Amino acid sequence: MSLDGILEEGVITTTVDGVLNWAKKSSIWPMGFGLACCAIEMMATGASRFDMARFGCEVFRPSPRQCDLMIVAGTVTMKMAVRVKRLYEQMPEPKYVISMGSCSNCGGPYWQHGYHVLKGVDRIIPVDVYVPGCPPRPEALLEGIFKLQEKINQQTIAKKLVV
Amino acid sequence: MEHKIETDFMIINMGPQHPSTHGVLRLELKTDGEIVMACRPFLGYLHRCFEKHCESLDYLKIIPFTDRMDYLASMNNNWAFCIAIEKLMGIKVSEKCEYLRVIVGELNRIASHIIAFGTFGLDIGAFTPFLLAFIQREKIFDLLEEASGARMLYNYIWVGGVARDVDGDWLKKTKKFCQEFKPALDEVDELLSLNKIFVERTANVGVVTKEMAISYGFTGPNLRGSGVNWDLRKNEPYSLYTKFDFNIPVGAGEQGQVGDCWDRYIIRIRECRESIKIIEQALEGISLEGDIYETVPKNFNKMPKGEVYARSETPRGEMGIYVVSEGGKAPVPYRVKVRSPAFCSLSILEEICKGVMISDVIAILGSVDIVLGEVDR
Amino acid sequence: MTPEEIFDKLKEKFGEGKILRLTLPSQNGFDVCDPFIDVEPLAMTELADFLKHDKDLAFDQCCCISGVDLKDDLQVVYHLFSMSKLHKICIKATAKRDNPIVGTTAHTWGVANWLERETWDMFGIKFKDHPDHRRILLEEDWEGFPLRKDYKFPRFWRGMEVTPEEEEGTYGTQD
Ligand code: SF4
């Protein structure tokens, strides 16, 4: 870079995007809210063996106002769907959603006879990463979080010019 | 002239997204300052139409759905359902299968109790026991995964048998686990049970008397916490439970009154020890000879016409399965009703939450140990 | 007590008009069943009271209350158990489909309150004098009673698709 040698040691140069994305992706705070069986695996991901803290996203916040990430873990029923939407709206920007498990991806095992199950959470809120499985293993959820981090890394604050 | 200043009641809404309601349960609390005047639970946020599925799928396909009902104790759910269907069809399962069922069932009971007291500690504010207990839970999951192929929802116990065989190696590992588990449980026990803060928060809170417990359909550890010596494994033995020597821990009000939260909590810890005892005896007794698919029915085309109500002891209490079969060629049940222990235990909430502090509601809820998947089905 | 004795005792107390008949296993076309007694639906309230408080019967535990759709009628099935006497019985109350009303037992057994609400929610069976007659699992504005055999799945609920278009008609059918 052209600034080499001008600035003192210990200084690195990067883009604004780079700094912002790095900050965003290395401390994702998920919302501690579980719906069904998948939530237990989410708990396991946060607990002893798998330890989500290694990837900077262990701070489960009880309040949607303090979260960046919503992990929809489990079956979204009709009665719950209205609440999930409200919770999503309460989260501050930038916000991300991981849909964990086949239930929240598409209704899962309850696709055909589940009169009270929403057939996929993406019908009410936008989803960034889908994690398949019934339930997904904790490793799978971690992989989902890596994918989200990759996605965050590609974000830019520059607006596209609409021609 | 004297004025009486009146304060208003306040309605507090707890849930469905609340860290300590153990899933999606909503409580509407009418409070006078810190004191709860009335508590109204709202359920159904996880109603996944289990009973409708049962009327549309054939008998074998229902078993995976029973897994998802009480997802903390899937094995025991599978088992409860299979007991009902076996009773309906008159199948007697081979001894080897029964031994396997007992072993996996008790392992799963321990895993479920670990969550119960782990999250209970978490609700009260103790984080470490939760982490310590989860280490052991992962070990159980490893064992069950090796036996069944899945970590959490197993679909392992089938009508008339079990899904996969195990080998001698697995039995050895299980034995090793039993030995390792005992000191680990003691550690959690020492850390939590007699902790001053914990005792203060749980003793004498949410006292459920014997009569109330029976009337409100308490079963399992909750009922025993109220001082009733009742366990279906002993009182109405099914499977091989007559063969084993184990005790039934009963609440005695060691820290306060009989039937308080602390009693319900300690029962679970003690039950884990009894389960280990059962597993160790079963490991002695099992022989690996024999075919596990021997009594698995080839098809379900010749169902008798009739109905059965079969109950068995899951970690949360008595799970009753009521199956009505039309008979003849219909491979689907006409009606399946699940008497879910957590649903019945939860119905007491309205009654015992009158006049307690808000923070006690959390303690009561944690001590009753509900799984919303099973409450709402 | 054996089912016969229970039946005789009830009949003596309430008369034939209310206690209809006793079915033992392998009777009335059943291959397998627990012994059950058919009763008049509206008599359920006083019957429950007697079942619990009579010294010989002492049915202190109400295990399960389930609704069953018999196509022409709707039925409520009570599984009762006595922890002190160690006997059990099954009671069935059959109500007409067009106006199903059964006497409540919620004042007798605490747990019956919720179990009956669930039965109302799923089958639309009304319980006379129930203290808190609301739906329990579904929202109040849900239409229909899902576990009835003729239930049609709704297409939308509060603007959310319950039945995706491509699946319409195949839902809730038996395969
Ligand atoms: S995807 Fe499977 S494990 Fe997850 S909530 Fe749905 S049924 Fe449960």
Side-chain angles (χ1 to χ4, degrees):
Chain A
M1 269 200 191
S2 55
L3 290 178
D4 278 358
I6 302 172
L7 294 172
E8 285 170 35
E9 267 182 52
V11 173
I12 50 166
T13 55
T14 175
T15 57
V16 177
D17 273 347
V19 178
L20 282 180
N21 290 345
W22 169 79
K24 270 187 221 159
K25 80 164 193 204
S26 7
S27 93
I28 303 176
W29 288 13
M31 177 151 57
F33 116 100
L35 295 173
C37 352
C38 281
I40 307 295
E41 285 297 65
M42 186 174 79
M43 256 161 75
T45 321
S48 313
R49 184 182 290 179
F50 297 96
D51 196 7
M52 253 153 89
R54 291 177 295 164
F55 310 104
C57 49
E58 83 285 13
V59 198
F60 278 102
R61 303 308 298 182
S63 159
R65 307 273 183 207
Q66 304 167 343
C67 314
D68 313 303
L69 168 64
M70 180 183 207
I71 303 180
V72 185
T75 318
V76 187
T77 57
M78 288 296 162
K79 206 171 171 180
M80 193 64 200
V82 257
R83 270 82 180 178
V84 171
K85 187 155 172 56
R86 175 55 46 87
L87 284 173
Y88 178 77
E89 283 160 0
Q90 284 174 340
M91 282 164 62
E93 291 279 358
K95 52 191 172 189
Y96 308 96
V97 177
I98 289 184
S99 153
M100 176 185 183
S102 28
C103 274
S104 61
N105 290 353
C106 66
Y110 303 99
W111 168 258
Q112 199 184 2
H113 305 289
Y115 52 82
H116 194 238
V117 176
L118 188 73
K119 310 294 178 317
V121 73
D122 47 7
R123 285 166 196 255
I124 49 168
I125 55 175
V127 175
D128 291 283
V129 177
Y130 296 86
V131 182
C134 180
R137 299 179 61 92
E139 294 94 326
L141 180 61
L142 289 177
E143 178 68 22
I145 287 168
F146 298 158
K147 281 272 177 300
L148 183 70
Q149 289 179 339
E150 270 170 39
K151 189 167 175 175
I152 294 174
N153 225 2
Q154 286 157 10
Q155 281 184 338
T156 168
I157 51 168
K159 282 216 181 82
K160 266 202 192 121
L161 256 187
V162 186
V163 192
Chain B
M1 207 173 114
E2 265 184 47
H3 291 286
K4 189 158 170 266
I5 299 172
E6 288 193 358
T7 46
D8 252 350
F9 290 132
M10 188 160 69
I11 306 281
I12 294 183
N13 188 32
M14 207 189 250
Q17 183 261 336
H18 185 274
S20 42
T21 47
H22 293 256
V24 277
L25 167 71
R26 182 156 75 94
L27 299 179
E28 211 180 80
L29 305 176
K30 188 174 162 205
T31 58
D32 182 7
E34 277 285 291
I35 298 169
V36 177
M37 306 304 288
C39 162
R40 249 171 135 198
F42 288 80
L43 325 172
Y45 293 96
L46 196 50
H47 176 55
R48 298 190 281 191
C49 335
F50 172 75
E51 283 159 22
K52 192 79 187 173
H53 281 82
C54 290
E55 291 172 14
S56 322
L57 301 167
D58 55 30
Y59 290 92
L60 274 186
K61 286 185 198 160
I62 294 171
I63 296 176
F65 285 94
T66 62
D67 272 332
R68 281 149 186 82
M69 213 160 51
D70 177 355
Y71 35 79
L72 295 183
S74 310
M75 288 288 186
N76 302 73
N77 282 235
N78 290 175
W79 198 0
F81 183 73
C82 290
I83 287 176
I85 304 298
E86 278 155 15
K87 192 170 162 195
L88 183 68
M89 297 176 77
I91 297 175
K92 179 123 184 36
V93 182
S94 70
E95 202 177 64
K96 181 185 175 188
C97 289
E98 291 285 18
Y99 268 117
L100 279 176
R101 287 176 179 195
V102 170
I103 296 173
V104 293
E106 293 302 323
L107 278 175
N108 211 179
R109 186 184 306 273
I110 297 174
S112 163
H113 282 341
I114 285 177
I115 291 249
F117 59 69
T119 50
F120 185 40
L122 207 60
D123 292 347
I124 305 290
F127 196 67
T128 326
F130 169 78
L131 290 177
L132 284 177
F134 254 68
I135 300 176
Q136 299 306 318
R137 190 167 171 271
E138 289 293 337
K139 285 185 187 161
I140 297 178
F141 275 9
D142 284 347
L143 288 172
L144 293 180
E145 185 178 358
E146 202 176 321
S148 71
R151 254 176 69 86
M152 219 175 86
L153 308 174
Y154 311 104
N155 188 14
Y156 182 66
I157 296 177
W158 283 356
V159 177
V162 293
R164 289 186 192 200
D165 211 345
V166 298
D167 53 9
D169 203 29
W170 188 81
L171 298 182
K172 269 199 213 102
K173 279 185 202 159
T174 313
K175 198 164 208 162
K176 185 155 159 272
F177 165 77
C178 291
Q179 273 147 17
E180 287 170 0
F181 182 72
K182 281 181 227 164
L185 185 67
D186 291 340
E187 197 182 356
V188 175
D189 192 3
E190 275 164 27
L191 206 57
L192 193 57
S193 303
L194 293 178
N195 181 306
K196 181 86 173 110
I197 302 171
F198 183 75
V199 172
E200 290 286 318
R201 285 281 314 267
T202 54
N204 288 327
V205 169
V207 178
V208 180
T209 59
K210 228 173 178 167
E211 291 72 36
M212 248 168 101
I214 295 175
S215 164
Y216 277 90
F218 262 33
T219 43
N222 294 336
L223 181 65
R224 295 192 277 280
S226 295
V228 184
N229 190 342
W230 184 263
D231 189 322
L232 290 175
R233 290 175 295 172
K234 265 264 195 295
N235 297 66
E236 222 175 67
Y238 54 96
S239 187
L240 296 176
Y241 280 113
T242 40
K243 286 196 175 184
F244 306 122
D245 166 40
F246 62 102
N247 303 323
I248 308 291
V250 179
E254 284 150 63
Q255 301 298 328
Q257 293 175 46
V258 181
D260 57 8
C261 293
W262 194 86
D263 270 350
R264 285 194 285 276
Y265 152 82
I266 201 72
I267 296 286
R268 298 208 165 83
I269 297 249
R270 290 184 183 151
E271 244 175 48
C272 286
R273 296 211 178 91
E274 300 303 323
S275 293
I276 287 284
K277 256 198 224 168
I278 298 177
I279 296 170
E280 279 177 338
Q281 289 169 45
L283 288 171
E284 293 291 317
I286 190 172
S287 90
L288 285 174
E289 311 285 298
D291 181 14
I292 47 166
Y293 301 125
E294 202 178 85
T295 43
V296 176
K298 299 282 174 297
N299 54 45
F300 288 84
N301 290 344
K302 282 205 208 73
M303 296 301 288
K305 179 176 158 54
E307 50 174 55
V308 289
Y309 178 77
R311 48 190 197 163
S312 57
E313 184 87 13
T314 72
R316 258 148 282 280
E318 165 191 333
M319 171 164 280
I321 310 263
Y322 175 57
V323 187
V324 183
S325 138
E326 267 183 318
K329 282 222 173 302
V332 293
Y334 186 73
R335 164 98 172 105
V336 175
K337 157 88 191 181
V338 179
R339 183 256 190 225
S340 96
F343 179 85
C344 298
S345 308
L346 195 61
S347 67
I348 206 169
L349 216 64
E350 259 166 298
E351 194 61 35
I352 55 173
C353 281
K354 275 183 201 137
V356 301
M357 295 289 184
I358 294 181
S359 56
D360 292 346
V361 175
I362 303 294
I364 292 170
L365 204 59
S367 74
V368 173
D369 181 28
I370 47 166
V371 168
L372 262 296
E374 193 199 45
V375 174
D376 297 342
R377 274 152 290 140
Chain C
M1 282 171 100
T2 60
E4 287 91 346
E5 284 166 358
I6 296 171
F7 179 65
D8 289 341
K9 180 145 189 153
L10 288 179
K11 206 157 161 186
E12 202 178 298
K13 169 92 182 161
F14 292 98
E16 292 204 359
K18 287 179 179 167
I19 311 297
L20 302 174
R21 76 185 153 271
L22 169 75
T23 307
L24 293 171
S26 60
Q27 279 182 352
N28 292 352
F30 282 100
D31 297 331
V32 197
C33 74
D34 303 327
F36 65 83
I37 298 174
D38 279 297
V39 303
E40 183 57 35
L42 285 175
M44 218 34 232
T45 310
E46 43 176 342
L47 191 65
D49 203 49
F50 181 68
L51 282 167
K52 181 173 178 183
H53 294 119
D54 184 78
K55 271 204 286 318
D56 297 329
L57 296 171
F59 282 105
D60 43 12
Q61 198 187 26
C62 172
C63 295
C64 184
I65 298 177
S66 12
V68 180
D69 184 349
L70 296 177
K71 300 209 171 103
D72 303 329
D73 299 315
L74 295 168
Q75 193 174 53
V76 183
V77 184
Y78 301 79
H79 286 93
L80 308 176
F81 184 74
S82 165
M83 279 181 156
S84 48
K85 304 273 183 232
L86 301 179
H87 54 212
K88 55 182 156 191
I89 194 69
C90 172
I91 307 272
K92 290 187 175 182
T94 313
K96 287 272 158 298
R97 194 188 184 89
D98 38 11
N99 186 22
I101 302 181
V102 179
T104 182
T105 57
H107 305 289
T108 311
W109 296 292
V111 67
N113 186 334
W114 278 25
L115 287 168
E116 284 179 356
R117 272 174 72 188
E118 192 194 344
T119 313
W120 155 248
D121 196 356
M122 293 291 135
F123 287 91
I125 299 172
K126 289 194 202 77
F127 289 91
K128 198 166 164 244
D129 298 334
H130 191 282
D132 189 12
H133 210 294
R134 289 177 295 136
R135 297 193 97 139
I136 189 163
L137 295 177
L138 304 171
E139 287 278 17
E140 282 298 333
D141 61 352
W142 193 272
E143 271 175 34
F145 303 105
L147 284 183
R148 287 196 181 183
K149 292 283 176 190
D150 56 0
Y151 178 67
K152 288 253 176 341
F153 285 27
R155 177 95 166 80
F156 283 98
W157 183 72
R158 294 201 187 165
M160 285 175 297
E161 232 178 3
V162 181
T163 323
E165 203 171 2
E166 66 273 17
E167 290 280 332
E168 218 189 345
T170 66
Y171 264 45
T173 52
Q174 309 216 335
D175 59 343

